[in-house]
Each structure stands twice: as structure tokens, then as C-alpha cells.
Amino acid sequence: MIEQTNFGSMPDGSQVTQFCLTNRLGVSVEILDLGGIIRRWLIPNHKQNHTDIVLGYDTVDEYLADDSYLGALVGRYANRIKHGKFSLAGKDYQTDINQGGNCLHGGGQGFNSKVWQCTVLSNSDNPSIMLELTSPDSDQGFPGQISVKVIYTLTEQNRLKIEYFATTDQTTLYNPTNHSYFNLAGHSSGSVANQQIQLLASHYTPTDENAIPTGEISVVDNTPFDFRTPTTINVPLASKHQQIEYANGLDHNLCLDAYTADLKSASYVGKAVAKQSGIELEVYTNMPGIQIFTANHFSNKKGKEDSLYQAHQGVCFETQFYPDTPNQPNFPSATLEAGKDFYSVTEYQVSF
Ligand code: GAL
């Protein structure tokens, strides 16, 4: 079932609509046509009415002022491009610079800030919506007009499937993700430090102090980035490793072992578990990397229902190409050629 409600308006007066997808087991995911934002994700719970497992806001204005990308679809290029500079098909490009001298998440007016065209694909079992957006040539400095589509489907097995499609009229970069901050004990329950994560990744990409990859692909052995067996998040957060100190916590790309080029279906890559709520989230994707980010800079950030979000109150599993890929020839390429179809898929499976 899908219920549509008015969520408010954009500065130009246009309406923002919320689509609430509910399956037969009573799991609901509320998605805005603004930025394709996952605003609430409600898991039935016999002790309370539900547990809302994602961080978010209550108003359009808060989403537009947000620089933390809560729940949003990110594009054209998730993560950082050093100094917003790259060369493609023999030409040099300069993108918008919006964070620390670099391009973050597609520039200052990225896909997260746009109202997408939304179509309901299924209103009964496996409720599903399609969001579409056209980004013109030179938008935020990126080449080519790109037409992108994201399909969200909530299955009857409590899996949220996110499929990304794109075509372009000129060779460009495309690296989309969803930037949900998960807290499986509930968005207002405090730190995720005592929750556990597992990631099937034997390598990671170390960064400099500005979160730009050095270009190395390093083994995770004997580092705080070895999540191959379930690990309490507090363990890396408490580490004195230089990479953790640079980021004030986890904000790193792990190289997923399951990845092979041209993989079209999602493989299991990891999970998160909260013993307090008994909720578990499994992550499946066909992308090569995952940015694991623990909301390191949050401090009294006003969130939904008067919550105040603090550092480490959520954890993101941003499935994507590695950061700064256009400047790192040894990383899997995020180039999308004219006439080629882009497809990627990420699935979040909830058990409770
Ligand atoms: C993450 C990024 C962080 C931070 C965050 C948005 O994806 O890795 O460094 O910028 O987005 O607040």
C-alpha cells in the first residue's frame, strides 16, 4: 500500500510529497520526492508502536538547510572529488566546490536538493515508486545531460530494494548512493557505539587529513577497518589509529570483496545488529565500495520529533564507487559513456 501526503513546499511554492510504502507485515518506509529522501523507516515493535531506524527531519526547510544528507539520494558523484577537478575523454573539468576545497556529493546543488518526478509503480504487494530527474549539461560542472531514475521497492520480505538507472548524451561520471543514517535501536536512542557491524571487505582506501584517498588500496588486517567478523562499533571509534583521528571516527571507504565488474545483481556485503531492539539490517549491493560513516560531526543537531542528534548517533552504509575515482586510475571507474545504460542495485534487508 502507498499513501501520499503533502509534506510542505519548496521556496518557489511547489509541493513536496511524501510517499509512505507499507507492506503486509506492517513495515513502512516514508520517502519524499524531494531528494528521494528516506525520512522514516518504521519497524513494528510490540513494546512501543514502532522503531524508526533512520535519522531525519520534520520539515522541508530543515532538509534544504541540511549539510549532512540525511536519508537523501546523492549525485552525480557520491563522496569527494579532489578540488572538483578531473579529466574525461581528453577534456578538463572543474565542478562546484562545496566542502573543504573539494566537491562533495555532487556539489552544492546536488540531486538531494531537487524535487524528483515520482510515479507509483505498485500500490499493492511489494509497493514501489519510481523517481526521475534530468540534470542538464554542465550542472554543478559535470559534463553531459544525464537522465536518472531510481526505483524504491519495499518487498513483502522486509527488503528495501533501491535500483539506480541512468543514461547520458556525453561521457560523464555517475556515482549515486543513498545517504541514510541508520540507528537500529531507534533514531532518538543515542549512540550506535554499542551496535555491531560486519563488512565483507579485505581492503580499504586510506585518506589524507581532508578525506581524499591517497590512492593506496590497503589490507584491513590489524587495522580498525577489519569488520570481517561482527565488531562492536565502539572498537574502531576508540582506536588511536591515525585514519580514525583524521575523521574523528569512521568515515572510510571499504573495498567490497564480492565486487566484480559487470555484476548486475546484489551480493551480501555486510550487516548491522542492535541487540537492544533485536533489529538486524543486512546490506546487499553490486557496487565496489561502501563508505562507512558514523555521523562524527553531529552535535545537538535538531532532528525528528525534537530529538537532538549527537556524534555517532547513526551509521551510514553508502554503497558506491570509491571516492575520487576519476583521479585514481587504479580504482574501478565511475565513467558513464554516452549511449550506455547505467544500472546499480542496493538492498537493505531488515529482520526483527
Ligand atoms: C559522508 C562523508 C562525510 C560527510 C557526510 C555528510 O558521506 O563521507 O565526510 O561529509 O557525508 O555530512
Side-chain angles (χ1 to χ4, degrees), residues 193-232:
N194 61 356
Q195 300 178 23
Q196 286 197 323
I197 54 175
Q198 179 184 36
L199 290 170
L200 302 185
S202 307
H203 295 83
Y204 77 109
T205 52
T207 69
D208 65 15
E209 62 275 31
N210 299 315
I212 298 293
T214 59
E216 294 154 276
I217 296 180
S218 302
V219 293
V220 296
D221 304 63
N222 304 313
T223 74
F225 306 104
D226 190 350
F227 300 108
R228 289 172 294 185
T229 54
T231 305
T232 304

Side-chain angles (χ1 to χ4, degrees), residues 60-115:
V60 169
D61 288 351
E62 289 167 301
Y63 278 110
L64 293 179
D66 170 50
D67 61 0
S68 303
Y69 299 82
L70 264 60
L73 293 176
V74 169
R76 295 187 190 190
Y77 194 92
N79 219 310
R80 291 175 175 81
I81 298 176
K82 185 177 183 178
H83 301 152
K85 288 186 191 302
F86 60 91
S87 303
L88 207 54
K91 277 180 77 178
D92 294 337
Y93 293 94
Q94 173 67 63
T95 70
D96 186 45
I97 298 293
N98 59 327
Q99 204 252 0
N102 299 309
C103 180
L104 177 69
H105 296 328
Q109 297 298 311
F111 292 178
N112 60 298
S113 65
K114 309 282 185 213
V115 175

